[in-house]
Amino acid sequence: KLRVESISNTNLLSLKVKDNSPEQAKRIVDLWADQYILFSQQLISGELKGSGEFLDRQFQIARSNLNYNEEIIKQFGNRNNLNLLQDYVALKQRKLTESKNELIDIEMLLKTKQDQLMELKKQINNQQEFVILSKSLSDEPLMIDAKDGNARSTLDKVKLKTEEINPVYQTLKSQIVNTEVEINTLKPKIDYLKQEIINNEKEIITVEKDLRDKQLQLLRLNRENEMYRNTFNLLSSKVEESRIAKAIELGEVKIISPAFLPQKPIAPKKQTIILMG
């Protein structure tokens, strides 16, 4: 009894019912029109509801991912203080520079002392440890008081030779000893500084590698966090749009014209039948 026709070049539908009772035909058309509108609204509402539930689930997942990643970044920061590591590396580098400068100064001082030692040894080789002095007996304190002139004259003719320590030699020897002590003191310092430089360089390399690894980990975590945040913001806006769409309660299908009772039946066409007969 029901026929649905689409009106050309429009978005309108025409519902037609054939029935022996005009009133019954009108009721059927009106009922089908109401049911069609109800079905359309339920269909749209179901699509919005399904879309909304999907968006809500995705939104909750995005928020959970974002919160989890932010907690990971927080824990990473608590375990690894990158600023402290950077300060430690800078401190070690300053200490390394100071040690290298100190090593250069001490090596230069050692070279200077070694040159001084060589020069002192050359000088001491040209000196005698003892010098021989010659003097007459009359110059001896015990002989100075002699009264006899003849005896005095005799004493003047008698020469006495004595050995005395060479003060120049003694001074040079003392300087050599002091210089050797200084050299022997500087050498252990140089060895210590060299070893300290090696240890500091190794430690700096290890800490810098650890710092770079942690910086890369933090960079990766921040990139992931940015991705999660963008997804969260996008879904948040979509959820809000879905809520607005639900609030509007879209109902695009409506009745343009209610059914009307025909003035005369369309069948049977008695006159045509008689004429044809």
Side-chain angles (χ1 to χ4, degrees):
K1 293 185 178 182
L2 176 65
R3 187 174 73 224
V4 181
E5 297 178 352
S6 175
I7 300 177
S8 304
N9 300 322
T10 67
N11 60 349
L12 300 179
L13 296 177
S14 173
L15 274 66
K16 295 181 180 182
V17 173
K18 287 184 180 182
D19 194 87
N20 292 331
S21 170
E23 292 78 8
Q24 181 69 7
K26 182 180 186 306
R27 285 196 298 272
I28 292 174
V29 169
D30 289 339
L31 178 61
W32 270 105
D34 292 338
Q35 290 298 314
Y36 181 72
I37 291 174
L38 179 61
F39 168 77
S40 299
Q41 289 177 342
Q42 290 176 346
L43 180 63
I44 294 173
S45 176
E47 290 177 349
L48 289 175
K49 181 179 179 181
S51 174
E53 290 176 351
F54 173 78
L55 286 175
D56 281 336
R57 287 195 301 271
Q58 296 302 314
F59 176 73
Q60 296 300 330
I61 292 173
R63 180 164 60 184
S64 176
N65 290 337
L66 179 61
N67 292 337
Y68 176 77
N69 197 70
E70 288 179 344
E71 181 64 24
I72 291 296
I73 293 175
K74 180 180 178 181
Q75 293 177 2
F76 181 87
N78 292 335
R79 292 194 308 269
N80 308 282
N81 193 330
L82 299 187
N83 292 331
L84 184 61
L85 280 177
Q86 289 174 338
D87 293 342
Y88 181 76
V89 170
L91 177 63
K92 282 293 182 180
Q93 288 175 339
R94 287 196 299 270
K95 182 63 177 176
L96 179 62
T97 301
E98 291 174 359
S99 297
K100 288 182 177 180
N101 292 335
E102 186 179 358
L103 177 61
I104 292 173
D105 293 339
I106 294 178
E107 286 179 338
M108 291 178 62
L109 180 59
L110 176 63
K111 182 66 171 57
T112 302
K113 293 297 181 181
Q114 288 173 339
D115 292 341
Q116 289 178 358
L117 181 61
M118 291 177 62
E119 183 61 27
L120 290 171
K121 287 182 176 180
K122 288 180 181 180
Q123 293 179 12
I124 202 171
N125 288 334
N126 297 326
Q127 297 291 331
Q128 296 295 326
E129 185 176 1
F130 298 97
V131 294
I132 298 175
L133 300 178
S134 178
K135 59 182 178 180
S136 63
L137 286 176
S138 61
D139 294 331
E140 287 295 320
L142 296 177
M143 302 299 179
I144 291 175
D145 296 335
K147 302 296 185 180
D148 188 348
N150 293 329
R152 183 67 178 270
S153 176
T154 302
L155 290 174
D156 288 338
K157 294 177 181 180
V158 178
K159 299 296 183 181
L160 181 65
K161 292 183 178 182
T162 60
E163 281 187 348
E164 293 185 1
I165 295 175
N166 186 353
V168 177
Y169 182 92
Q170 192 68 24
T171 301
L172 290 173
K173 185 176 181 180
S174 176
Q175 290 177 349
I176 288 174
V177 171
N178 292 335
T179 305
E180 288 177 341
V181 170
E182 291 178 354
I183 289 174
N184 292 331
T185 303
L186 292 174
K187 286 182 178 179
K189 289 183 179 180
I190 290 175
D191 294 337
Y192 171 78
L193 286 173
K194 286 182 178 179
Q195 187 61 44
E196 185 179 33
I197 289 171
I198 292 173
N199 294 337
N200 283 337
E201 287 177 340
K202 289 182 179 178
E203 186 173 4
I204 287 173
I205 291 173
T206 302
V207 176
E208 283 183 336
K209 182 180 181 302
D210 185 47
L211 179 61
R212 286 194 300 271
D213 291 342
K214 286 180 170 55
Q215 287 174 335
L216 287 175
Q217 292 178 28
L218 181 60
L219 180 61
R220 178 180 58 80
L221 289 174
N222 285 332
R223 285 178 177 174
E224 290 179 355
N225 192 66
E226 185 66 21
M227 180 187 66
Y228 289 137
R229 183 169 297 280
N230 291 336
T231 303
F232 173 81
N233 292 336
L234 176 62
L235 289 173
S236 178
S237 63
K238 292 296 183 182
V239 167
E240 187 63 24
E241 291 174 2
S242 175
R243 289 173 181 171
I244 293 174
K246 281 184 179 180
I248 294 176
E249 293 181 351
L250 294 177
E252 297 179 352
V253 182
K254 60 183 178 178
I255 297 175
I256 299 298
S257 173
F260 55 89
L261 290 173
Q263 297 297 322
K264 58 181 179 178
I266 61 172
K269 297 181 179 181
K270 295 180 180 181
Q271 294 181 353
T272 302
I273 294 172
I274 294 173
L275 180 59
M276 290 300 293

